Amino acid sequence: MEHKNPSPTGVVLMNLGGPRTLPEVGPFLRELFADREIIQLPVQSALGPLIARLRTPRLERTYARIGGGSPLYDWTVRQGEGMVKRLDALSPQTAPHRFYLAFRYTEPNSEQALRQMEQDGVRRAVAFSQYPQYSCSTTGSSLHELWTSARRLGMAQTFRWSVIDRWSTHPAYVQAMAAKVREGLADFPESERDDVVVLFSAHSLPQRVINKGDPYLQEVAGTVRDVMRELGDGYEHALCFQADVGPVTWQGPNTESVIQALGKQGRRNVLIVGIIFTTDHLDTLSEIDIEFAEAAEKAGVTRFRRAPAPNDDPLFLDGMAQVVAEHLASEAVCGPQFALRCAGCVDPACREVLNPADENRRPSPDLSR
């Protein structure tokens, strides 16, 4: 198919990343504990590597239990392939579209994505956060790294950028997640489905991040609300948080403690939904499928099931493409909430759009550098 667009439109899929092999576990942890957007430690340059080194053997054993590495890379590639194929049909005026991976703590990283984009002749680019719910510590950190890498490589003006900073309540995403919940519910006997507690579990954040006004908590709650409405509000449900690591206070309630409480209350049917996870990775395959399943069994929960992650489900790929197509058609530089800094913000860098596609629609004058 011939395209009128003189150069491809690049879509950068930003995510956490994950070690694909056991030797990558140590470097992954070192990068994670060096990121002050996630974890702030005294003398971080010394304490961060120490904690990473101490945690590496345990995490290597954990990854060994799920096949020796994270499948996040493979799933994200499949998502990117499915997304751009659909995008070419949905938005021929901006086609061809190419996707690039920019992981925060593993390769391929932002620098590698930018170099490949330049080689491919990309001029118009979209930074598409794969965290549907915005947080300064996830999307903000990834954007900061992307812009820093572009400046370091002398590419500050190479691409005209816009940002999909959040899509937590986009109808296509909500419908795709609701479909996964229905799949999970179908795993319970029909006679017992009315007794199922739908337990939405999200990755936790340090409490200090929430307290400074980070929108993550309210955005996760908004997704839960909309998914339940899509399902018809016919099920009891709760929201809890998992994956709290490091010597800081994290947002609760903790998922495992909620599962234990449900068991004590006599609830025997629990469907857990990784409401923020767009692919399977350590949090779903190990923490939920192994650790939480064991906790549920000990607590007396007879049927503990997990709603499947979206992965490369066609409905979810349709949703990804729709989100990007609508964004491109709107000609917006970012979402309407992006420029609003947290009440306790000390670093506006996570609200910047480098070399925005529309100079007249910058998110905020004080973010341009």
Side-chain angles (χ1 to χ4, degrees), residues 339-357:
L340 181 62
R341 293 165 57 186
C342 300
C345 179
V346 295
D347 182 5
C350 67
R351 306 293 180 158
E352 180 185 12
V353 178
L354 182 67
N355 194 28

Side-chain angles (χ1 to χ4, degrees), residues 156-212:
Q157 302 297 316
T158 302
F159 314 106
R160 293 180 301 110
W161 287 98
S162 62
V163 173
I164 301 175
D165 48 274
R166 69 202 76 198
W167 42 301
S168 58
T169 57
H170 190 285
Y173 170 66
V174 170
Q175 290 163 11
M177 293 305 295
K180 290 298 159 185
V181 177
R182 291 190 187 99
E183 281 187 45
L185 289 168
D187 208 19
F188 292 83
E190 190 172 352
S191 60
E192 299 192 25
R193 283 178 202 163
D194 289 343
D195 185 52
V196 174
V197 176
V198 181
L199 189 60
F200 292 96
S201 186
H203 200 295
S204 188
L205 279 185
Q207 190 63 52
R208 62 165 181 81
V209 176
I210 300 296
N211 289 347
K212 76 176 184 180

Side-chain angles (χ1 to χ4, degrees), residues 28-342:
F28 167 76
L29 283 176
R30 287 196 293 273
E31 290 291 330
L32 176 65
F33 280 96
D35 187 359
R36 291 184 64 81
E37 293 288 350
I38 294 281
I39 299 171
Q40 292 187 5
L41 303 168
V43 199
Q44 188 140 357
S45 60
L47 193 54
L50 174 61
I51 295 175
R53 186 168 63 252
L54 293 174
R55 287 180 177 269
T56 294
R58 179 182 176 185
L59 193 60
E60 286 176 339
R61 291 192 294 271
T62 301
Y63 273 109
R65 295 177 73 183
I66 63 168
S70 172
L72 188 146
Y73 171 86
D74 293 332
W75 283 125
T76 308
V77 168
R78 294 187 193 183
Q79 289 175 338
E81 291 171 344
M83 176 193 68
V84 296
K85 180 179 179 180
R86 289 162 170 80
L87 260 179
D88 285 349
L90 284 174
S91 182
Q93 66 274 20
T94 56
H97 303 87
R98 295 184 183 175
F99 75 93
Y100 303 87
L101 307 187
F103 290 159
R104 186 65 184 85
Y105 306 121
T106 56
E107 294 183 347
N109 55 33
S110 293
E111 183 171 316
Q112 291 166 320
L114 293 166
R115 288 186 184 279
Q116 187 61 54
M117 290 164 63
E118 183 181 45
Q119 184 175 325
D120 291 344
V122 170
R123 291 295 175 265
R124 176 71 170 88
V126 178
F128 184 14
S129 174
Q130 295 307 285
Y131 309 100
Q133 297 83 8
Y134 185 90
S135 171
C136 297
S137 60
T138 52
T139 298
S141 178
S142 292
L143 285 171
H144 191 184
E145 176 63 21
L146 184 63
W147 308 146
T148 299
S149 296
R151 290 189 172 99
R152 184 170 59 245
L153 294 172
M155 295 184 183
Q157 302 297 316
T158 302
F159 314 106
R160 293 180 301 110
W161 287 98
S162 62
V163 173
I164 301 175
D165 48 274
R166 69 202 76 198
W167 42 301
S168 58
T169 57
H170 190 285
Y173 170 66
V174 170
Q175 290 163 11
M177 293 305 295
K180 290 298 159 185
V181 177
R182 291 190 187 99
E183 281 187 45
L185 289 168
D187 208 19
F188 292 83
E190 190 172 352
S191 60
E192 299 192 25
R193 283 178 202 163
D194 289 343
D195 185 52
V196 174
V197 176
V198 181
L199 189 60
F200 292 96
S201 186
H203 200 295
S204 188
L205 279 185
Q207 190 63 52
R208 62 165 181 81
V209 176
I210 300 296
N211 289 347
K212 76 176 184 180
D214 191 283
Y216 174 77
L217 182 59
Q218 67 196 48
E219 296 205 1
V220 174
T223 303
V224 170
R225 176 203 61 205
D226 286 1
V227 169
M228 289 307 303
R229 286 177 179 172
E230 183 72 19
L231 293 169
D233 285 318
Y235 293 93
E236 295 172 291
H237 64 281
L239 173 60
C240 49
F241 298 88
Q242 65 182 90
D244 42 355
V245 296
V248 296
T249 302
W250 292 77
Q251 171 68 42
N254 173 269
T255 301
E256 186 169 342
S257 66
V258 172
I259 292 170
Q260 293 167 345
L262 289 172
K264 290 179 180 178
Q265 294 168 16
R267 306 311 296 265
R268 297 295 175 255
N269 296 293
V270 174
L271 174 67
I272 192 165
V273 182
I275 192 58
I276 72 163
F277 305 130
T278 58
T279 70
D280 275 318
H281 57 295
L282 190 72
D283 291 346
T284 60
L285 300 176
S286 177
E287 192 165 20
I288 293 178
D289 290 353
I290 298 176
E291 296 175 30
F292 293 165
E294 292 173 352
E297 183 178 6
K298 291 179 182 177
V301 176
T302 308
R303 290 185 180 85
F304 179 82
R305 304 287 187 269
R306 174 170 67 89
N311 293 328
D312 61 351
D313 186 292
L315 183 62
F316 184 72
L317 301 185
D318 290 345
M320 288 181 67
Q322 186 177 338
V323 168
V324 180
E326 290 177 4
H327 170 78
L328 288 169
S330 74
E331 299 184 351
V333 169
C334 57
Q337 282 289 106
F338 183 67
L340 181 62
R341 293 165 57 186
C342 300

